[in-house]
Amino acid sequence: MHFRGLMGMGYYYGYNRVSSKDQHLDRGREKIEAFCREHGYHLERIYEDKQSGKNYDRPRYTVMKEDVLRPGDTLIVPEFDRLGRSDQTKKELEYFAEKEIRVIFLDIPTTYMDVSSLNDGMAKMIMECINHMLIEFYDCMARSELERKQKRQREGIEAMKKRGEWDKYGRPRKMSREDFAKEYERVLSGEIGSLALQRELGLQKDTYFRYVREYKEQILKSPSI
């Protein structure tokens, strides 16, 4: 397929994003405009969203991607993470590569290599290499970030366990140990069955028996009178 964007026959568009309505889009917009002026590119339009980068369900991005960009066009983004901050970014880059849409990140100089003097075949090969590099680069960044998060998560859990606060981590207690102990003593006295108490308290089976184990462990730890 002919690379119109590489040979000066495609269209140039910008995409700019900030995470909240309180932030300003000016800086990213100015970067895109300055880059196009410097390289003699005619910028058709900049699409902008004020929305989190955690997903790609953004109104202006969706219009640009689905209704505007065509093979041979060039998309210019001021910074890599302005496109997005999620695992889906790799899929977005793969989509653009498949559709032969060139993506330029102004904070990654290799993405705006000038290949206009090359023939179509050579230009296409170089841009495929650059697209592949971008995808691998993001994949590496995403895996590194995931590993960092998992490490911080493990360290946080261990610290909370040492402080006796494990139940505060993503698993809020349905009821305190003291309240459960009072209710469970009704089972021990024969007033109510275990299944009936579980239903009465509105506890899942796993949660109920975890509390029972906690109760028994606490009894064993308590000094005998």
Side-chain angles (χ1 to χ4, degrees):
M1 184 176 293
H2 188 58
F3 265 67
R4 297 180 304 145
L6 298 180
M7 307 309 294
M9 296 174 61
Y11 296 99
Y12 290 85
Y13 297 93
Y15 180 72
N16 188 26
R17 180 190 64 80
V18 290
S19 298
S20 69
K21 293 182 179 179
D22 296 332
Q23 293 177 291
H24 298 290
L25 293 157
D26 299 6
R27 186 170 65 90
R29 186 185 307 136
E30 289 168 0
K31 284 185 175 182
I32 295 171
E33 292 172 345
F35 175 82
C36 288
R37 284 196 303 271
E38 180 182 345
H39 290 80
Y41 298 150
H42 174 71
L43 181 64
E44 298 293 328
R45 182 173 178 177
I46 298 176
Y47 290 84
E48 297 178 314
D49 285 305
K50 287 192 172 185
Q51 195 168 328
S52 169
K54 292 181 179 179
N55 63 67
Y56 283 83
D57 186 18
R58 309 174 210 140
R60 305 313 298 161
Y61 179 84
T62 301
V63 168
M64 178 191 70
K65 175 185 172 182
E66 297 182 359
D67 300 332
V68 177
L69 290 173
R70 294 291 181 268
D73 289 342
T74 298
L75 174 62
I76 304 168
V77 186
E79 296 171 1
F80 188 80
D81 62 1
R82 294 301 88 195
L83 187 64
R85 294 172 181 252
S86 74
D87 293 340
Q88 191 180 337
T89 298
K90 181 181 178 182
K91 293 181 180 179
E92 296 300 302
L93 293 173
E94 289 173 341
Y95 169 86
F96 291 131
E98 180 184 345
K99 297 295 183 181
E100 298 187 344
I101 296 167
R102 182 183 183 185
V103 182
I104 293 177
F105 294 105
L106 300 186
D107 58 343
I108 306 179
T110 51
T111 62
Y112 46 90
M113 181 186 301
D114 184 9
V115 294
S116 59
S117 62
L118 304 177
N119 62 51
D120 284 0
M122 182 63 72
K124 180 175 180 179
M125 182 183 71
I126 290 176
M127 291 316 303
E128 285 177 348
C129 288
I130 291 175
N131 283 333
H132 179 72
M133 176 274 293
L134 272 177
I135 293 167
E136 292 302 315
F137 171 72
Y138 180 79
D139 192 41
C140 180
M141 284 184 60
R143 282 187 280 109
S144 296
E145 180 61 23
L146 178 61
E147 289 172 2
R148 283 196 295 270
K149 286 181 179 179
Q150 289 175 337
K151 182 175 182 290
R152 290 195 296 267
Q153 187 180 67
R154 288 193 300 268
E155 291 171 348
I157 291 172
E158 289 304 316
M160 295 183 85
K161 283 182 176 179
K162 289 179 180 178
R163 296 194 302 267
E165 299 175 354
W166 164 242
D167 288 314
K168 294 180 182 178
Y169 178 80
R171 191 188 295 175
R173 294 188 68 87
K174 298 294 184 181
M175 58 192 309
S176 69
R177 287 181 172 84
E178 293 76 13
D179 288 343
F180 181 79
K182 291 177 184 177
E183 297 294 339
Y184 187 66
E185 285 170 3
R186 294 165 58 200
V187 174
L188 298 178
S189 67
E191 177 185 338
I192 189 173
S194 216
L195 180 59
L197 180 63
Q198 177 192 329
R199 290 174 176 170
E200 181 181 309
L201 298 177
L203 298 174
Q204 295 292 328
K205 182 178 178 180
D206 291 346
T207 302
Y208 175 80
F209 285 104
R210 177 160 58 87
Y211 287 2
V212 170
R213 288 194 299 273
E214 289 177 353
Y215 173 87
K216 292 179 178 178
E217 288 170 0
Q218 187 61 40
I219 294 297
L220 291 174
K221 289 179 181 177
S222 301
S224 58
I225 300 175

